[in-house]
Amino acid sequence: MNRENVVTHSLSPLTLILFLLLSVSAVSCDRQDTPLARFQHYLRLNTAHPNPNYTAPVSFLISIAQSIGLKAQTFEYVPDKPVLLVTWPGSNPSLPSIIFNSHLDSVPAEPSKWSHPPFSAVRTPDGSIFARGAQDDKCIAIQYLEAIRNLKGRNFVPTRTVHLSFVPDEEIGGFDGAAQFVGSKEFEDLNVGFVLDEGQASVNDDYRVFYADRSPWHVTIRATGAPGHGSRLYDNGAMENLMKSVETISRFRESQFDMVKAGKAVISEVISVNPVFLKAGIPSPNGFVMNMQPSEAEAGFDVRFPPTADADAMRKRITEEWAPASRNMTFEIIEKGSLRDIRGRPLVTATDDSNPWWSVFRQAILASGGKLAKPEILTSTTDARFARRLGIPAFGFSPMKNTPILLHDHDEFLKDTVFLEGITVYEHIIGSLSSFTEVNSM
């Protein structure tokens, strides 16, 4: 090599430093352009109640959708509560479409009780990503998009149109988000034939799938009675009457729980009743006035019904046993959703041969290398119930196996390997459901 060539190809110290900095920057950028990085970014957007930030996550999700050539539009049925709809057109748009749903919001977190800040999305050396919403349910939002990115990269074209919906306020009932959307003209125009919504983690090697939710009632029972000196005994005092009711409710709760403990039912198949608050007494600077009997007392209960429960029978029980007027008692029931669809049927999606979507979904899981546990009723409530109320088949599913169930818990996390495996699972699910042509209408 002559001297001219040496001079031409050598780098000055300053140039070398700049080259190295640019190289490091490029590697760093590449590392940010990954499914895991996008998941962490999404988790860092604080969408916790009572003041969820919806603007940032909607903008972020739109940017991902547009980067892979998907159409995105937003609707606001209630101010400041956007519904984002992402669409992947099918080759035969006359067929009923399918929707993959997730919610933007999350429950609050108590930072002092977490190992890592709840909106930092810290990824520990073992691959655990800690963040509020890691399981419930920001994981599936990104997995949907990444699965479509991979399918498009293989030039897959869906037969049915595929929609992704990202809705607000699920954690406080979904009435301003999913309920409004499902009841809208925009939803009607989508001609939806099937919905897949969130599920829960599985602690073993089976994936869980849910064919129904339990419906909640918020029940408040109030008692009144004569006030008076704390040294006297009264019949039908407010606290006495309320305590009798609490004892009656506790016996009912125990009867339901006994069936679970005996293996005759799982929790989601019984009516659960949990006390939420007790309010009584006359406040004082040091606590409560102890020598006065209060004239009013009330208690609140969270009651959850499986879809086959008899709501009329429960209302009768509350009227006659839990809060009888003969004991100076009243009650209020706030029904947080319906137990029946628009045709009067239980809000249940079939998991047998009567539902062709079930067979396609199950085969997609098997094709991905996974296996399904026995279908379940979800113990809690999701936005899938609004679709079921219209008679649209809907399952709850989140591909998280060998994972502790940490939704609404401290230190909620998801392993990176579980998240990435879930993308592959959704590739099979989206590919199979969107290619299915035998069902032409609801």
Side-chain angles (χ1 to χ4, degrees):
M1 183 179 295
N2 60 34
R3 181 172 178 78
E4 183 179 354
N5 287 336
V6 172
V7 172
T8 301
H9 292 89
S10 64
L11 298 174
S12 68
L14 179 59
T15 303
L16 181 60
I17 291 172
L18 289 173
F19 176 80
L20 291 173
L21 287 173
L22 288 171
S23 298
V24 171
S25 176
V27 171
S28 176
C29 289
D30 287 342
R31 288 176 178 170
Q32 293 302 311
D33 189 26
T34 66
L36 281 172
R38 286 185 281 272
F39 180 38
Q40 288 175 281
H41 183 106
Y42 188 39
L43 290 171
R44 290 177 183 132
L45 303 175
N46 188 339
T47 58
H49 290 285
N51 298 303
N53 171 11
Y54 291 130
T55 302
V58 167
S59 296
F60 178 64
L61 293 169
I62 289 175
S63 70
I64 297 177
Q66 291 178 340
S67 73
I68 53 181
L70 302 178
K71 176 185 175 183
Q73 55 187 321
T74 58
F75 311 104
E76 274 197 13
Y77 304 100
V78 174
D80 301 320
K81 291 188 176 182
V83 172
L84 171 61
L85 182 70
V86 172
T87 299
W88 187 15
S91 62
N92 187 353
S94 65
L95 290 173
S97 65
I98 52 178
I99 282 189
F100 293 82
N101 185 63
S102 69
H103 57 86
L104 298 160
D105 58 327
S106 60
V107 294
E110 300 174 80
S112 63
K113 298 178 181 179
W114 284 58
S115 302
H116 307 278
F119 295 99
S120 62
V122 167
R123 184 181 176 193
T124 56
D126 69 347
S128 298
I129 300 173
F130 287 84
R132 173 60 82 219
Q135 292 187 16
D136 182 19
D137 67 354
K138 291 185 175 181
C139 52
I140 62 174
I142 302 301
Q143 286 169 329
Y144 294 159
L145 289 161
E146 297 300 331
I148 291 177
R149 183 194 302 274
N150 292 343
L151 288 168
K152 285 175 69 72
R154 295 197 294 271
N155 298 316
F156 175 85
V157 177
T159 304
R160 295 176 185 270
T161 294
V162 175
H163 301 287
L164 311 181
S165 54
F166 306 90
V167 296
D169 87 337
E170 188 274 346
E171 294 292 3
I172 56 173
F175 297 105
D176 291 340
Q180 296 291 328
F181 176 49
V182 170
S184 70
K185 180 64 164 57
E186 289 83 5
F187 185 88
E188 181 182 353
D189 291 343
L190 299 179
N191 186 25
V192 176
F194 177 79
V195 173
L196 195 66
D197 203 349
E198 64 177 317
Q200 285 186 8
S202 169
V203 297
N204 55 39
D205 201 40
D206 294 341
Y207 289 121
R208 301 171 72 191
V209 61
F210 302 90
Y211 62 91
D213 295 353
R214 288 200 299 177
S215 296
W217 280 9
H218 293 173
V219 180
T220 301
I221 294 176
R222 299 180 178 91
T224 59
H229 197 283
S231 64
R232 297 179 59 191
L233 293 175
Y234 294 84
D235 283 327
N236 293 318
M239 281 297 292
E240 178 192 8
N241 283 333
L242 185 63
M243 289 172 64
K244 288 179 180 178
S245 291
V246 170
E247 291 171 359
T248 301
I249 294 168
S250 294
R251 286 194 294 270
F252 174 82
R253 182 182 187 276
E254 289 170 4
S255 71
Q256 298 292 295
F257 210 177
D258 284 345
M259 288 192 288
V260 175
K261 293 175 181 177
K264 297 179 180 179
V266 296
I267 290 177
S268 60
E269 295 172 344
V270 302
I271 300 175
S272 67
V273 182
N274 285 306
V276 176
F277 71 86
L278 179 64
K279 186 166 65 177
I282 301 168
S284 75
N286 299 318
F288 291 89
V289 177
M290 297 298 288
N291 63 349
M292 290 183 64
Q293 293 195 29
S295 60
E296 298 179 350
E298 66 180 78
F301 301 87
D302 185 335
V303 183
R304 304 279 173 145
F305 293 87
T308 55
D310 188 337
D312 291 336
M314 176 55 74
R315 192 180 295 273
K316 185 173 185 290
R317 182 186 295 272
I318 293 172
T319 302
E320 296 178 357
E321 300 178 21
W322 294 11
S326 60
R327 291 210 311 266
N328 300 323
M329 303 195 73
T330 59
F331 63 89
E332 178 185 18
I333 298 173
I334 299 177
E335 298 184 31
K336 307 293 285 186
S338 175
L339 284 169
R340 297 289 185 267
D341 69 14
I342 56 176
R343 299 177 185 174
R345 302 170 301 187
L347 295 184
V348 172
T349 297
T351 54
D352 55 30
D353 291 340
S354 67
N355 176 13
W357 293 104
W358 167 248
S359 299
V360 178
F361 174 79
R362 183 182 57 192
Q363 289 301 318
I365 299 299
L366 294 174
S368 73
K371 55 182 179 176
L372 286 175
K374 180 183 177 182
E376 305 173 59
I377 299 171
L378 190 66
T379 57
S380 55
T381 308
T382 70
D383 286 333
R385 61 193 169 131
F386 300 118
R388 292 191 188 107
R389 188 173 182 278
L390 295 182
I392 299 172
F395 292 136
F397 176 78
S398 294
M400 298 180 288
K401 63 183 181 181
N402 299 313
T403 299
I405 303 169
L406 296 171
L407 70 166
H408 299 197
D409 204 343
H410 305 313
D411 277 345
E412 181 181 354
F413 76 85
L414 188 65
K415 295 287 288 290
D416 52 8
T417 51
V418 173
F419 171 78
L420 293 172
E421 184 178 30
I423 295 173
T424 301
V425 174
Y426 278 122
E427 288 177 38
H428 285 84
I429 293 173
I430 295 173
S432 296
L433 292 176
S434 67
S435 300
F436 182 50
T437 59
E438 293 180 24
V439 174
N440 294 318
S441 62
M442 285 173 47

